[in-house]
Amino acid sequence: MSSPVPGRTIATRLGLGWRLHGDGRTVTAGEVVRPRERLTWPRTVTIGAQHVVAMFGATFLVPLITGFPPSTTLFFSGVGTILFLAVTAGRVPSYLGSSFAFIAPISASTNQYGPGGALGGVLMAGAALFLIGLVVQFAGTAWLQKLMPPLVTGTIVALIGFNLAPSAKDNFMAAPVTGFVTLASIVLISVLLRGLPGRLSILLGVLIGYLTAVVRGEVDFSAVGAAWQEQGLFGLPPFQTPEFHLPLMGLFVPVILVLVAENIGHVKSVALMTGDDLDPYIGRAIMSDGLATVIAGSGGGSGTTTYAENIGVMAATRVYSTAAYWVAAAVAILLSVFPVFGAAVATVPAGVLGGAATVLYGMIGMLGVRIWVQNRVDFSNPVNLTTAAVAMIIGVADYTWEASGLQFAGIALGTAATLVVYHLMAAVARARGTVSSDPLAPDTTRQPSPLG
């Protein structure tokens, strides 16, 4: 009996070595290309390029808004994606792009401690996320579901999105005409175009807004010429080391609750569409996202998360092959070493960012509302209603509190309020019998609104 080939064993553990799906050219009706399968390499490369386009707009908006180098963020998103695919053994197709949940804490910490301090916060959040993934891998997700039921998860996601509203307004008002053109383009493209172009409404809207800004003389191209003169055609993106400030933990650690919810939701969605049981890989997914965020924070990139935009590409193509994501990661890293490309992206003006952020931040907030709706959270129950009410006002109004040298802002305080108020009220209500219904029980007495 021959011994296994070491190379093949390592390849299997990393999720490499895909088998060809059918003839490699077509996907028959009712079938999907599973994560460990692939089409022919030319088709796989084409689909991988689509994944790059799908993640591009959102991934670049985060560094543009926070002031981080776009090429550095792109580089670490590619590296993080490779890490994610390897840790999950090629069973969970995903691209790790920039997480919008980090925008508020990065912006706040940069104002106080500079970019290095913000990177330290990103790194700390990644380490905390990795530890949660480690616990999930060995203990399962039941404890997380008890800690963060849909009411809690939806509230935290909603308050993060709406907390960013002032930032969107400031950028929009810097160039209202350009901002309006960008916003209107995104809105119209999302309903005028079908298929992948419709799902790329934000990217296309940003391009239209950018052209508008060029015509209006709002774009400064001097940085592009400087990048070409100083670095030429190829060059590594700029890296920066983090600085650690304990007070920033209150800003960044609450973000991990959103990342946990996004990772679990992503794995569950892929499992539903492929028919695979991916629950054993939830812990790995969270751990690898945490590691990717740690690596990004160590060198100058933003925190990462699994991307819903790429789920849309998979649903449209019915190709869930992780081979396509290896291609996407490689393309992202390749683009990041063109200094002129990164400099050109960095020229996107404030008005364009404001128009796009108006949609994106609102979408984040409404995703929280969607979690409530999908799980039929009963807001006639005072436990649910009061929890969401208190947390949303604290988060949206950006309450602040400083204690023992630690500063907590709206997202951190809103997250803490969500957890404390919910679990405290639920425990007291159960002990006293003052609430007749279980806050976790979905509301089945009402039919969905005909308007939505």
Side-chain angles (χ1 to χ4, degrees):
M1 184 174 179
S2 61
S3 58
V5 180
R8 291 182 180 176
T9 302
I10 295 174
T12 301
R13 290 178 178 176
L14 294 177
L16 303 174
W18 303 271
R19 62 181 180 273
L20 198 66
H21 175 85
D23 61 2
R25 295 179 175 82
T26 58
V27 184
T28 57
E31 291 188 1
V32 299
V33 179
R34 298 186 177 281
R36 298 300 300 273
E37 299 177 332
R38 66 170 176 84
L39 298 177
T40 60
W41 280 114
R43 288 170 174 79
T44 298
V45 170
T46 301
I47 294 171
Q50 289 185 61
H51 282 299
V52 173
V53 175
M55 69 81 187
F56 189 86
T59 292
F60 264 106
L61 275 176
V62 174
L64 288 175
I65 292 171
T66 58
F68 281 11
S71 57
T72 308
T73 296
L74 184 62
F75 175 83
F76 283 113
S77 74
V79 171
T81 298
I82 290 175
L83 178 65
F84 183 95
L85 296 171
V87 173
T88 58
R91 294 296 302 276
V92 184
S94 178
Y95 192 92
L96 293 190
S98 305
S99 170
F100 286 98
F102 281 97
I103 292 177
I106 287 177
S107 300
S109 57
T110 299
N111 293 335
Q112 190 172 4
Y113 296 103
L119 290 174
V122 170
L123 195 154
M124 287 188 287
L129 182 63
F130 172 81
L131 291 176
I132 289 182
L134 195 63
V135 175
V136 169
Q137 184 64 26
F138 291 99
T141 60
W143 66 278
L144 266 178
Q145 293 168 351
K146 291 180 180 178
L147 177 67
M148 297 193 305
L151 181 277
V152 171
T153 304
T155 301
I156 293 172
V157 174
L159 68 85
I160 284 179
F162 296 138
N163 174 270
L164 295 167
S167 173
K169 178 189 174 184
D170 291 343
N171 281 323
F172 190 98
M173 297 310 296
V177 173
T178 301
F180 175 78
V181 170
T182 304
L183 175 60
S185 299
I186 293 171
V187 171
L188 292 175
I189 289 172
S190 64
V191 291
L192 285 175
L193 302 183
R194 294 185 175 92
L196 182 61
R199 281 192 292 274
L200 298 178
S201 58
I202 292 176
L203 176 62
L204 296 177
V206 167
L207 289 175
I208 293 173
Y210 186 83
L211 293 176
T212 303
V214 171
V215 172
R216 293 176 56 82
E218 297 169 356
V219 181
D220 181 7
F221 291 105
S222 59
V224 179
W228 174 262
Q229 292 178 358
E230 294 173 7
Q231 295 180 271
L233 182 61
F234 295 102
L236 289 174
F239 298 116
Q240 182 170 348
T241 56
E243 301 172 4
F244 297 98
H245 302 277
L246 190 60
L248 293 181
M249 289 189 67
L251 279 173
F252 281 90
V253 172
V255 170
I256 67 176
L257 299 179
V258 179
L259 301 183
V260 167
E262 288 178 338
N263 274 277
I264 293 176
H266 182 90
V267 175
K268 292 287 188 181
S269 296
V270 173
L272 181 65
M273 291 185 286
T274 62
D276 294 339
D277 178 17
L278 298 179
D279 283 358
Y281 294 90
I282 291 177
R284 289 194 190 191
I286 297 172
M287 289 166 60
S288 53
D289 191 4
L291 284 175
T293 298
V294 167
I295 293 173
S298 300
S302 183
T304 61
T305 189
T306 51
Y307 255 33
E309 287 87 344
N310 297 96
I311 286 184
V313 175
M314 291 189 289
T317 60
R318 289 182 291 146
V319 177
Y320 297 85
S321 171
T322 52
Y325 282 99
W326 278 90
V327 171
V331 171
I333 294 173
L334 182 62
L335 288 175
S336 72
V337 299
F338 289 94
V340 173
F341 175 76
V345 172
T347 62
V348 177
V352 177
L353 297 178
T358 299
V359 179
L360 284 170
Y361 297 170
M363 282 182 174
I364 296 172
M366 294 309 296
L367 282 175
V369 177
R370 181 183 177 187
I371 292 173
W372 292 338
V373 173
Q374 287 181 330
N375 293 276
R376 308 190 76 170
V377 174
D378 182 8
F379 281 105
S380 67
N381 188 306
V383 174
N384 295 332
L385 182 63
T386 305
T387 298
V390 172
M392 289 297 292
I393 290 298
I394 291 175
V396 173
D398 202 22
Y399 284 33
T400 57
W401 178 47
E402 189 169 342
S404 302
L406 297 178
Q407 189 176 57
F408 303 92
I411 292 177
L413 293 178
T415 299
T418 306
L419 293 167
V420 172
V421 173
Y422 174 80
H423 289 290
L424 179 62
M425 288 188 69
V428 172
R430 282 193 292 267
R432 296 285 296 167
T434 51
V435 176
S436 58
S437 61
D438 182 356
L440 291 177
D443 182 8
T444 58
T445 62
R446 295 178 177 86
Q447 294 295 325
S449 167
L451 298 178

